[in-house]
Amino acid sequence: MEGQETDFGPVDVVVIGYPPDAPMTGEAVPLLLDLVDRGIIRVLDVLFVMENEDGTYSGFEASALDADSIGDLKVFEGASSGLLGEDDVRTAGEAI
């Protein structure tokens, strides 16, 4: 509806990191999806961050990705509020 405002309350950023050699089994994804389905959390943005060969970090949104590579996270395709940017990519990369 035009003109309607939505109050989101506090917004937190969660970074989930995997060591490069760790198997990505996808076991945590159903737990995350359950929290979304029950309305406990709302996902505004999904941003994948990876370390480049030169030690810098790149971020990319969940769009036009193959379900074989990201599995059930495909449900977050297009989740982008515009809140996350390059500074967040760098901060997340350094935290990982």
Side-chain angles (χ1 to χ4, degrees):
M1 295 171 77
E2 227 176 295
Q4 184 177 7
E5 243 180 73
T6 302
D7 185 16
F8 289 111
V11 175
D12 293 316
V13 174
V14 176
V15 176
I16 302 170
Y18 293 93
D21 58 345
M24 295 182 67
T25 64
E27 291 177 23
V29 176
L31 300 172
L32 175 64
L33 295 178
D34 179 58
L35 294 173
V36 172
D37 289 343
R38 294 191 295 151
I40 294 172
I41 64 170
R42 180 184 297 164
V43 175
L44 302 176
D45 288 277
V46 173
L47 183 67
F48 295 93
V49 177
M50 58 182 278
E51 186 174 7
N52 302 314
E53 289 182 15
D54 65 358
T56 60
Y57 297 95
S58 297
F60 57 95
E61 294 177 357
S63 60
L65 299 174
D66 184 3
D68 291 335
S69 63
I70 62 166
D72 291 338
L73 291 175
K74 183 107 170 120
V75 300
F76 295 118
E77 184 167 15
S80 177
S81 68
L83 292 172
L84 297 177
E86 286 302 313
D87 288 342
D88 300 299
V89 170
R90 188 172 31 263
T91 300
E94 291 168 357
I96 298 173

